[in-house]
Amino acid sequence: MRVSRHRGRVAALTALAAVAVSGLTACSGDDRIKLTVQVFGGAGFGYEDLVKEYEKDHPDIDVDYQIVTDDYDNEFRPQVLQWLEAGSGAGDVVGIEEQGVGQMMSLGDAWADLSEYGLDKRESDYPSWKWEQGHTADGKLAGLGTDVGGMAMCYRTDLFKKAGLPTDREKVAELWQDWDGFTKAAKKFTDSDVDAAFVDSPNQLYNIRMVQEAGAADGISYFDRKDKYVAGDTEAVRTAFDYVAELHELGAVGQFENWSDEWNSAMQAGGFATMGCPAWMMGVIADTSGKENKGNWDVAQVPGGSGNWGGSWLGVPAQSDHPKEAAELADYLTKPKSQVAAFEAISAFPSTKEGQEDPKVADLSNEYFNDAPTGKLIADSVKEFKPVYYGELHSAVRAAVEDVLFGLVQGSYKHDEAWKEFVAAGQEVVDTA
């Protein structure tokens, strides 16, 4: 699950403080066990009905399900880190988002080992990469996967038609089976008289390519597995950076910063023709572009075939007074059947193989995108996805280097100069951490 919009910070911090106080209570008044689940996101993790069902089947347990904030990076993650460091305040079950999983898994002593409660039996439920990322550096099972983002490529059929490109999704997928094909499509688009960018922004394009390249190699991007900063020497990072520069030189890359008003307006008005689309992004497009653009958007396989943006895990902090019961609750909330229920509630795409194959998921089509088979597209994108190592400072470095990518497309840097600034921006994060 990926969250991006921010609420008022004062209100959010007030809510976080209230949550910290409530998280200190382990038992309710009648001595039943109280388990606190803390997650993030505007719609949370879709657990409302699941929690009610669990309480019904476990009359000795009360579950306090808290959607703490919708902002993971700036509010939820720092607060969880503070709770873990303090040894108090965290819930019994806590959500962990993809971009912060490396940092959380680096804190091995802060998490209960779920294998002690028999949950290592769940390995076969998951793709190997999702399972592996739920482990600490010393091999402890600390997180069970909830959802994945997967990856497809959304595109504007009206703009493609004007540019003389195919609009049928199967023909589009054939057009860009690989990144060379995507480049050819970008050139044809920019050579036309369509007044729009081919790609919405540099960062999405960069991250899709970088994750694919890293997964196909050794899984390393900004940090090696000893958490040494190696971005400047990592082929996957340089390949993705150079690809953004290449498309920028064609005039194909937009300057629309994700989640900005300008990005939203361009999405609605046809200011760009393509954008990376994990499962949850399709809802963003439909909501932002509005009814008037239904049918103007479609979705096809991403170049290279695989990818992922977003997704989460549930972990049990070692400070929990009831780690066994908390582990059992985390197990229940992440089972394939529960993941399908969460998918029905908030469209969180299951990370379990069985959940992805459920007809409610696999047969899903999206009316807004011309009845595109979105369930199959997303499931196919994660089947062959290879794991990428996210170091402790991955999220902070990512934010810093993406600023340089925007500087490149905005004309602040030339190609070679931008690469030096890119590597230096990440190094500065490491040096000042």
Side-chain angles (χ1 to χ4, degrees):
M1 193 164 306
R2 181 73 182 161
V3 180
S4 29
R5 304 305 293 165
H6 300 177
R7 293 177 182 166
R9 190 160 183 81
V10 173
L13 292 175
T14 301
L16 287 166
V19 166
V21 173
S22 66
L24 296 175
T25 304
C27 297
S28 55
D30 55 6
D31 293 329
R32 290 183 303 189
I33 293 173
K34 178 180 177 181
L35 299 177
T36 299
V37 179
Q38 294 168 336
V39 301
F40 50 89
F45 281 24
Y47 289 163
E48 286 82 357
D49 290 341
L50 289 169
V51 163
K52 292 177 184 177
E53 189 68 25
Y54 193 81
E55 288 179 325
K56 181 180 177 182
D57 293 341
H58 298 78
D60 59 331
I61 291 178
D62 288 333
V63 179
D64 181 13
Y65 174 53
Q66 301 175 350
I67 303 174
V68 178
T69 175
D70 61 357
D71 185 351
Y72 179 80
D73 276 338
N74 296 296
E75 293 168 2
F76 189 82
R77 179 169 56 93
Q79 182 63 81
V80 170
L81 290 172
Q82 182 178 328
W83 288 332
L84 295 179
E85 183 177 353
S88 63
D92 300 281
V93 179
V94 173
I96 303 168
E97 205 267 343
E98 178 200 31
Q99 292 300 313
V101 69
Q103 185 176 35
M104 293 298 176
M105 292 301 111
S106 72
L107 306 173
D109 292 341
W111 302 100
D113 187 347
L114 301 180
S115 64
E116 293 183 0
Y117 307 103
L119 297 186
D120 48 343
K121 67 184 179 184
R122 294 285 309 278
E123 180 175 3
S124 62
D125 286 349
Y126 293 96
S128 60
W129 64 271
K130 186 70 175 182
W131 179 255
E132 290 171 16
Q133 288 186 330
H135 287 73
T136 63
D138 57 0
K140 178 191 294 184
L141 175 60
L144 294 175
T146 59
D147 63 319
V148 293
M151 185 59 67
M153 187 68 75
C154 290
Y155 63 98
R156 291 279 300 227
T157 58
D158 53 343
L159 298 182
F160 270 40
K161 184 177 181 179
K162 290 179 181 178
L165 291 167
T167 59
D168 177 81
R169 73 179 65 92
E170 292 185 3
K171 292 181 179 179
V172 170
E174 290 177 7
L175 181 70
W176 61 43
Q177 294 182 47
D178 55 25
W179 291 103
D180 286 342
F182 194 74
T183 303
K184 291 176 183 177
K187 188 174 189 315
K188 185 168 184 177
F189 188 89
T190 56
D191 285 346
S192 74
D193 59 358
V194 178
D195 185 19
F198 183 66
V199 182
D200 67 324
S201 64
N203 60 316
Q204 287 200 49
L205 178 66
Y206 163 81
N207 283 301
I208 296 170
R209 185 73 190 268
M210 187 273 286
V211 167
Q212 280 188 5
E213 296 290 338
D218 54 6
I220 298 301
S221 57
Y222 303 130
F223 296 92
D224 65 18
R225 286 181 171 79
K226 294 183 179 180
D227 272 344
K228 178 183 177 182
Y229 179 64
V230 293
D233 300 316
T234 303
E235 185 175 351
V237 173
R238 185 62 194 256
T239 297
F241 176 90
D242 286 344
Y243 188 67
V244 171
E246 179 185 356
L247 261 64
H248 167 57
E249 289 170 4
L250 291 176
V253 183
Q255 301 179 18
F256 304 106
E257 186 173 350
N258 302 157
W259 320 116
S260 66
D261 291 341
E262 292 78 12
W263 184 71
N264 290 331
S265 296
M267 191 187 303
Q268 182 181 40
F272 52 83
T274 68
M275 62 185 293
C277 267
W280 51 267
M281 184 65 81
M282 296 176 205
V284 174
I285 291 175
D287 290 344
T288 303
S289 297
K291 295 180 181 179
E292 64 270 26
N293 281 306
K294 180 181 178 182
N296 282 337
W297 281 101
D298 210 319
V299 56
Q301 175 182 293
V302 68
S306 68
N308 184 69
W309 179 11
S312 299
W313 290 257
L314 293 181
V316 175
Q319 62 190 252
S320 171
D321 290 332
H322 305 284
K324 177 177 180 295
E325 292 81 3
E328 291 171 351
L329 176 57
D331 180 38
Y332 166 78
L333 291 172
T334 58
K335 284 186 179 297
K337 183 179 178 180
S338 296
Q339 291 193 5
V340 173
F343 173 78
E344 291 183 291
I346 63 166
S347 299
F349 201 86
S351 61
T352 57
K353 292 177 282 189
E354 182 181 331
Q356 293 170 10
E357 293 167 358
D358 188 286
K360 295 174 183 176
V361 178
D363 296 342
L364 177 72
S365 61
N366 194 311
E367 184 180 2
Y368 191 87
F369 292 84
N370 297 302
D371 293 318
T374 50
K376 184 178 186 306
L377 284 168
I378 295 299
D380 287 349
S381 74
V382 296
K383 281 180 182 176
E384 302 301 324
F385 183 70
K386 304 297 183 183
V388 176
Y389 177 70
Y390 290 135
E392 181 179 351
L393 296 175
H394 177 92
S395 184
V397 167
R398 173 178 169 169
V401 299
E402 285 182 1
D403 284 344
V404 178
L405 289 175
F406 274 99
L408 171 66
V409 300
Q410 291 166 357
S412 300
Y413 307 111
K414 294 182 180 180
H415 186 173
D416 289 342
E417 180 187 11
W419 172 246
K420 294 177 183 177
E421 291 291 337
F422 182 98
V423 175
Q427 185 66 60
E428 183 177 359
V429 170
V430 174
D431 292 343
T432 58

